[in-house]
Amino acid sequence: MSDLTAATTDIDSRLEGHRVELTGYCYRMLGSAFEAEDAVQDTLVRAWRNIEKFEGRSSLRSWLYRIATNVCLDMLNAGNKRARPVDLSGPTPLAQAALNPLPENTWLEPMPDGRILPTVADPAEAAVARESVRLAFVAALQHLPPKQRAVLILREVLAWKASEVAELLDTSVASVNSALQRARATLTDHQGDAATADAADPLDDEQRKLLERYVAAFEGYDMKALTALLHEDAVMTMPPFDLWLQGHDDIAGFMTSFGASCAGSRLVATSANGTPAFAHYKPNPDGPGFVPWAVQVIDISDGAITGMHCFLDTPRWFPLFGLPDHLDADAA
């Protein structure tokens, strides 16, 4: 292997080693799985093309974060702010339920844990990382101006020093501290349930048993058993539809009316946004087996399910999560 080839391979490897954490950063900034991956790819391409200009005055990691921040800020200049259905309106009573889709770029998107959560040895650091990719937390971040968003993520999530953030953003430490104070105040107003949901990993015995009962109740389409697992104020969302439901009666009523074709479904465990998740396959209407219907992201708090967030655009989500596009009829 020539020296040039070896050097190229080394650069590729070093850049690629930062992909997961950069994707997590860009996802928090943008609220979109696919935009985050595009931003990281753009970041790594820019870094590769300008590697000779990297003077080593900061670490390679800091330099990559500077590039990624600029890429995200450019993307956010369009002004798009992604949201959950619960951020846009009040709950819809079952009697008024209607399935009205909104454009894809309206919605906060789910993200597989493996694409945004790097492996870390410190359990406390891992817990902070999981909390900071929760749907509710990322939705709250969308209320911040782009630079405040970057400051808060770098300081509160990634534990950068104020001086390091100031250097990255070409501003003063005083400006960084002021932006952080304003961002914290805004986040407190909008964070909501982001601070109350239980951790997903590692699950304790009670959480595992709760999820096992959830799977059994859902696959059996046993509404009595299912609603017994739900918090009284549990919510159910279904992007790209703006409809969202709250409470046992409306959720069960929807599932046995609009959602009646999901009876006999199968759930396959996965993880997303630092929480338990399931790939939902419903019976194939055109033949044997089961076909993709949704990625369900589940919120748990105090021993009950508080949120069922069902992302229905399966041609986009199932490949992203590495999920099969069909289950055989004997799938368990």
Side-chain angles (χ1 to χ4, degrees), residues 13-331:
S13 177
R14 291 174 65 196
L15 294 176
E16 190 64 28
H18 294 279
R19 181 180 290 274
V20 173
E21 65 170 312
L22 288 172
T23 304
Y25 175 62
C26 293
Y27 174 71
R28 296 177 185 100
M29 287 287 291
L30 301 170
S32 165
F34 297 99
E35 288 181 2
E37 296 204 326
D38 288 346
V40 172
Q41 190 61 30
D42 190 2
T43 296
L44 296 181
V45 169
R46 293 188 191 189
W48 169 258
R49 289 175 176 170
N50 293 281
I51 195 69
E52 292 181 356
K53 299 178 182 178
F54 174 57
E55 300 174 351
R57 288 179 298 182
S58 62
S59 68
L60 176 63
R61 180 174 182 258
S62 297
W63 185 59
L64 290 172
Y65 270 94
R66 175 188 287 269
I67 299 172
T69 300
N70 289 332
V71 169
C72 289
L73 293 178
D74 288 344
M75 294 174 74
L76 289 167
N77 280 338
N80 184 49
K81 181 174 71 174
R82 290 179 178 265
R84 305 166 298 168
V86 298
D87 301 315
L88 301 182
S89 67
T92 304
L94 180 60
Q96 300 172 19
L99 300 178
N100 301 311
L102 294 181
E104 171 274 322
N105 64 2
T106 305
W107 302 117
L108 185 68
E109 297 177 346
M111 191 61 150
D113 285 355
R115 291 179 179 260
I116 51 175
L117 295 178
T119 302
V120 294
D122 183 352
E125 185 180 345
V128 169
R130 289 195 302 271
E131 292 292 334
S132 68
V133 294
R134 293 288 178 84
L135 289 173
F137 184 83
V138 179
L141 289 174
Q142 303 297 300
H143 293 278
L144 301 177
K147 284 194 175 180
Q148 283 188 29
R149 202 179 304 180
V151 167
L152 187 132
I153 296 167
L154 291 166
R155 291 282 284 120
E156 300 280 83
V157 177
L158 301 177
W160 284 39
K161 297 176 181 178
S163 58
E164 294 172 328
V165 178
E167 182 178 358
L168 182 146
L169 294 174
D170 292 323
T171 189
S172 67
V173 169
S175 294
V176 167
N177 289 335
S178 176
L180 179 60
Q181 186 175 10
R182 295 194 303 274
R184 283 171 172 166
T186 302
L187 205 65
T188 298
D189 292 337
H190 293 283
Q191 192 170 352
D193 57 342
T196 62
D198 294 342
D201 182 28
L203 292 170
D204 60 31
D205 288 340
E206 181 180 348
Q207 292 168 331
R208 282 193 292 270
K209 290 175 181 176
L210 175 66
L211 291 171
E212 288 169 2
R213 293 195 297 270
Y214 173 77
V215 170
F218 196 99
E219 292 187 345
Y221 232 58
D222 182 341
M223 293 301 111
K224 182 177 180 180
L226 181 65
T227 56
L229 306 175
L230 302 180
H231 188 278
E232 61 181 7
D233 293 326
V235 302
M236 182 178 181
T237 68
M238 291 158 284
F241 301 118
D242 58 0
L243 164 81
W244 65 280
L245 302 155
Q246 185 171 41
H248 296 175
D249 292 344
D250 281 355
I251 291 174
F254 183 90
M255 291 180 66
T256 53
S257 55
F258 287 82
S261 64
C262 291
S265 292
R266 295 291 180 267
L267 299 183
V268 176
T270 182
S271 61
N273 295 85
T275 66
F278 296 98
H280 173 189
Y281 294 83
K282 74 173 187 177
N284 183 0
D286 301 317
F290 303 86
V291 293
W293 183 247
V295 169
Q296 298 183 6
V297 182
I298 306 297
D299 291 331
I300 299 173
S301 182
D302 296 329
I305 291 171
T306 56
M308 302 162 58
H309 306 290
C310 306
F311 294 88
L312 303 181
D313 192 358
T314 54
R316 301 177 77 226
W317 304 129
F318 275 50
L320 181 72
F321 279 77
L323 295 163
D325 60 7
H326 184 270
L327 288 185
D328 293 336
D330 60 351

